[in-house]
Amino acid sequence: MWQVNYEERFRKYVKGEIGEEEKARIEEDLNKTRVLLEYLDSSMDETLYAEEEGPAGAENNGRAEKGWAYNEMGRRISRAVNRKLRHYAVLTGAVVLLLVFLAIYALSPVMDAIYYNPSSPRESQPPLDLNMAVYMELVCGDKGFASVNVRPEGYGRHSLDVQTQINGRISHHYLELNKNHLYWTDMSWNQPDLPGNAFTYSVEDRETFAGTTAEETAVKLRGLSESMVVRAALSFKETKDTEQLAAFMKKYSGEYLYVPFETYDDQRGTMSGYMGYRPDAAGYVRTDSYDRKRYPYLDLAQYEEEGEIDADVLTQHVTSMLAYMKDNEAFGQIFASVVPGENVFDRQQYEGALDYVQKNGINGYGVVVNAGRDELLQMLSDPDVDGIYLIDAQLKL
């Protein structure tokens, strides 16, 4: 009861609603409390000092004994403070352990789930192997894409090994996918092994053509061993649609790697980069990785008929690749864009090309072929061949 009355009187003192006599008593109590706290503070300092100095004489011993001579109230205060400190220490340790646990076991899976994750794709997300196969065929099919290996590093980061293969030779291109951003030091991994002027179609005049005439190249080829396999880019005098190209392929044997085609009006005479397709099935079968009705013949391995691939199938293959890339925003966003610091999906490049070929057909202005010396000489004798650019040659064992 006394405590309640005192608390009430103290509140009135704070508000200035107490008489002078009561005010004097409370101020006397406050003064006593101040003296007590100063004494406790001084005693604790002396104790700590005595512990640091050690028993260096009677004076120090006396000081230590004096420091520990707390009254009952001092001991209660000390115990309360210690309990509070221990509580905070335990709470802080638990929070730190929780944060460490989250960082090790929870944060990485969460980040992998948020960002594009090629190692564990969602049900609605096509596998990276298929995405990369379509992308590489369109932009640099002459390299001969084989596969891509993914190694998860955690926290939204993945190491990629993009593999291309020509004549049994595998080339490795190492990339890093980090939080939806694709990084690489190999600047040629998604570039064709061709200069921008490797086809006569792409230059305004003959002087800027990187290759030579069919007659000049034939002289060089006859000097090679018949066991050599040559990779070369043949230029056509006029563009060939899929039906005309299929007839050319049926006439001359060889491994047809890449057919660059027109994607916009007035493209002739410009070196604006390539977009093309591979006119026959190659690599791993990926027909179970996509909607065949929505993207018919996205993988030419879907064509199960005997003999050469039909021209209409080639047309569907190209339009399906363009439509697939146009719809695949999650994959397209990992590439750097023209917007500084942002990865903005450039849907227009595929959408515009798709619209153009649907109106004008698939018109190729050349072909990259891998063929023996004699097969290549036969191709050079065709009146439709306007020139040739030699890429490389390998001894066929």
Side-chain angles (χ1 to χ4, degrees):
M1 186 68 178
W2 176 85
Q3 183 179 0
V4 175
N5 292 337
Y6 192 84
E7 289 178 358
E8 182 64 27
R9 283 185 293 164
F10 185 77
R11 290 193 186 97
K12 290 182 179 181
Y13 167 77
V14 173
K15 296 178 181 180
E17 300 174 353
I18 198 170
E20 290 297 327
E21 184 178 352
E22 290 295 326
K23 180 179 179 182
R25 291 178 182 176
I26 290 178
E27 288 180 349
E28 182 180 358
D29 291 339
L30 292 176
N31 188 50
K32 291 178 181 179
T33 302
R34 179 183 60 78
V35 172
L36 175 61
L37 291 175
E38 288 179 354
Y39 169 75
L40 290 175
D41 184 59
S42 175
S43 298
M44 293 176 70
D45 287 345
E46 290 178 358
T47 301
L48 293 174
Y49 178 79
E51 290 179 349
E52 291 178 357
E53 292 294 322
E59 182 179 352
N60 286 338
N61 290 333
R63 185 180 299 165
E65 291 176 0
K66 181 181 178 181
W68 285 107
Y70 298 134
N71 56 24
E72 183 63 24
M73 184 178 292
R75 286 194 295 271
R76 290 180 180 179
I77 293 175
S78 178
R79 285 196 296 268
V81 171
N82 288 335
R83 283 197 300 270
K84 213 65 168 174
L85 290 176
R86 285 196 299 269
H87 175 73
Y88 288 140
V90 171
L91 182 61
T92 302
V95 171
V96 170
L97 290 175
L98 178 61
L99 292 176
V100 171
F101 177 83
L102 290 175
I104 295 176
Y105 297 103
L107 183 59
S108 181
V110 168
M111 293 181 69
D112 287 340
I114 293 175
Y115 298 109
Y116 182 80
N117 187 353
S119 59
S120 299
R122 304 175 182 88
E123 186 174 336
S124 60
Q125 178 181 309
L128 179 66
D129 188 63
L130 175 64
N131 293 341
M132 197 65 76
V134 176
Y135 171 75
M136 293 288 281
E137 180 175 345
L138 281 171
V139 301
C140 57
D142 60 302
K143 286 181 177 293
F145 174 76
S147 63
V148 56
N149 293 328
V150 181
R151 185 177 68 190
E153 306 289 354
Y155 305 98
R157 179 172 169 264
H158 301 81
S159 295
L160 310 181
D161 176 15
V162 178
Q163 300 176 14
T164 55
Q165 179 176 317
I166 295 290
N167 292 330
R169 296 175 298 173
I170 296 180
S171 299
H172 298 269
H173 311 275
Y174 299 104
L175 319 176
E176 179 181 305
L177 178 61
N178 193 352
K179 301 180 185 68
N180 283 7
H181 293 264
L182 191 63
Y183 301 95
W184 60 84
T185 56
D186 180 1
M187 304 306 295
S188 66
W189 78 274
N190 61 345
Q191 300 297 317
D193 293 337
L194 302 167
N197 56 349
F199 296 95
T200 56
Y201 174 91
S202 303
V203 297
E204 294 184 354
D205 52 72
R206 197 77 186 191
E207 287 72 19
T208 55
F209 174 50
T212 57
T213 64
E215 294 77 12
E216 292 173 325
T217 306
V219 174
K220 296 180 181 179
L221 291 176
R222 292 188 184 98
L224 295 177
S225 168
E226 63 179 10
S227 60
M228 296 296 293
V229 177
V230 180
R231 187 166 55 134
L234 299 175
S235 295
F236 298 138
K237 291 179 180 178
E238 299 295 336
T239 59
K240 292 183 180 295
D241 58 26
T242 53
E243 186 173 348
Q244 293 169 324
L245 180 71
F248 185 89
M249 292 171 57
K250 186 177 181 179
K251 188 175 181 180
Y252 304 108
S253 61
E255 183 185 9
Y256 290 85
L257 301 174
Y258 193 56
V259 181
F261 58 87
E262 294 178 322
T263 58
Y264 59 91
D265 293 322
D266 302 322
Q267 185 175 346
R268 183 183 291 272
T270 62
M271 292 183 285
S272 56
Y274 301 117
M275 188 171 285
Y277 67 98
R278 176 159 183 152
D280 62 359
Y284 299 103
V285 177
R286 304 177 176 91
T287 56
D288 295 332
S289 302
Y290 61 90
D291 186 339
R292 301 187 197 184
K293 293 183 178 179
R294 186 174 184 179
Y295 307 110
Y297 302 108
L298 181 64
D299 182 355
L300 284 176
Q302 184 180 336
Y303 184 75
E304 299 178 349
E305 303 296 329
E306 296 292 333
E308 291 79 10
I309 296 178
D310 185 73
D312 181 62
V313 172
L314 292 178
T315 299
Q316 293 183 69
H317 173 60
V318 174
T319 55
S320 290
M321 286 198 299
L322 293 172
Y324 179 84
M325 290 301 299
K326 174 182 69 72
D327 298 339
N328 201 348
E329 182 173 359
F331 175 70
Q333 282 184 331
I334 69 176
F335 295 90
S337 68
V338 295
V339 181
E342 295 185 30
N343 285 18
V344 179
F345 177 45
D346 186 9
R347 179 180 282 105
Q348 178 58 37
Q349 64 172 322
Y350 304 110
E351 198 168 50
L354 178 61
D355 182 65
Y356 180 87
V357 299
Q358 287 176 334
K359 293 178 181 177
N360 301 280
I362 316 295
N363 299 309
Y365 49 85
V367 62
V368 178
V369 63
N370 203 42
R373 183 200 66 177
D374 294 339
E375 288 82 4
L376 200 54
L377 284 171
Q378 291 178 7
M379 295 179 195
L380 291 176
S381 64
D382 191 290
D384 290 341
V385 174
D386 191 33
I388 182 171
Y389 174 81
L390 299 177
I391 303 174
D392 53 31
Q394 184 182 7
L395 183 65
K396 179 173 63 176
L397 300 177

